[in-house]
Amino acid sequence: MAVKEILTIGHPILAARADEVDVGTINSPEIQGEIQDMIDTMRDANGAGIAANQIGIPKRMFVIEVGNNPRYPYKPKVPLTIIINPSIKFLSDETFVSNEGCLSVPQMRANVDRHVEIQVDYLDQTGKAVQQTIRGYSACTWQHEYDHLDGLLFPNRVTDMSSFCSWKVFQEFKQKEFAEQVQALVDKWGA
Ligand code: ZN
């Protein structure tokens, strides 16, 4: 459909809780078009995921996809997944210090604690109920996108303020070590 403008941190739509999608409307041209706009915009920006409110649609939907992503060379691959009205349950107390960036937070990255074993209940793009268990590094991506639906961006979750850095500094000084930590998590959980 179309590549949309990505809203940036501080925009009121990004800071608000998004609304549940009416299940009966999921197969409508409106919702299907909005899903395609999310996919097109995510791919255009080389994102690993994007939430509807990042492109100005205040609805509880996000998409995730990780292929050979130049923005995230250390991320394990995730097939294109469309998530509507999700809920997340933590399956253990194990967490990982995830260094994150966001299409809505230009230039900046920082460390956020994420759970590594989660169960997500959601509706897919046809309205079918799906229950999925996600373990490993990919669980961080799901929690990042889910937070958007509650009006939270990664800076809201940062506890170590000294971990803020630019993408340029990350790539120069931190990416190698972080990629090793991600690889250890992937080796443990297979994802
Ligand atoms: Zn984000």
Side-chain angles (χ1 to χ4, degrees):
M1 296 280 284
V3 173
K4 298 291 186 182
E5 181 191 353
I6 299 172
L7 306 182
T8 50
I9 184 167
H11 193 290
I13 291 179
L14 276 180
R17 185 184 188 280
D19 298 322
E20 261 76 21
V21 177
D22 180 349
V23 178
T25 67
I26 288 175
N27 288 301
S28 67
E30 181 192 348
I31 296 287
Q32 293 297 315
E34 289 170 346
I35 290 169
Q36 194 57 50
D37 289 347
M38 288 194 286
I39 295 167
D40 293 346
T41 307
M42 170 182 68
R43 287 176 173 169
D44 178 69
N46 286 320
I50 201 166
N53 56 357
Q54 289 183 274
I55 57 169
I57 302 162
K59 296 177 186 169
R60 300 184 79 77
M61 307 192 284
F62 61 82
V63 296
I64 288 179
E65 180 181 49
V66 182
N68 290 316
N69 192 324
R71 194 172 146 97
Y72 297 104
Y74 44 83
K75 282 201 180 219
K77 289 181 176 52
V78 180
L80 177 64
T81 310
I82 291 110
I83 296 103
I84 301 171
N85 294 348
S87 61
I88 287 187
K89 193 169 119 188
F90 302 137
L91 297 178
S92 74
D93 291 331
E94 184 177 340
T95 57
F96 177 71
V97 179
S98 173
N99 185 286
E100 299 188 3
C102 177
L103 296 174
S104 292
V105 186
Q107 303 299 332
M108 299 295 284
R109 300 182 61 103
N111 290 346
V112 181
D113 288 330
R114 298 291 189 190
H115 286 261
V116 299
E117 294 188 276
I118 62 172
Q119 177 183 300
V120 190
D121 288 271
Y122 61 96
L123 305 176
D124 71 9
Q125 68 273 28
T126 68
K128 183 166 70 84
V130 179
Q131 185 174 84
Q132 197 172 335
T133 301
I134 299 128
R135 293 185 168 87
Y137 185 63
S138 300
C140 302
T141 304
W142 283 71
Q143 289 161 87
H144 175 114
E145 299 308 329
Y146 181 86
D147 271 353
H148 276 296
L149 308 184
D150 285 342
L152 294 172
L153 276 68
F154 79 82
N156 296 106
R157 292 209 183 269
V158 174
T159 52
D160 177 5
M161 294 299 158
S162 71
S163 71
F164 275 102
C165 69
S166 67
W167 279 74
K168 185 172 187 291
V169 167
F170 175 76
Q171 283 160 356
E172 191 172 352
F173 296 102
K174 301 185 182 210
Q175 178 164 310
K176 187 170 178 288
E177 184 188 2
F178 182 62
E180 288 167 4
Q181 291 163 357
V182 169
Q183 191 57 51
L185 193 66
V186 170
D187 290 345
K188 178 174 178 183
W189 295 108

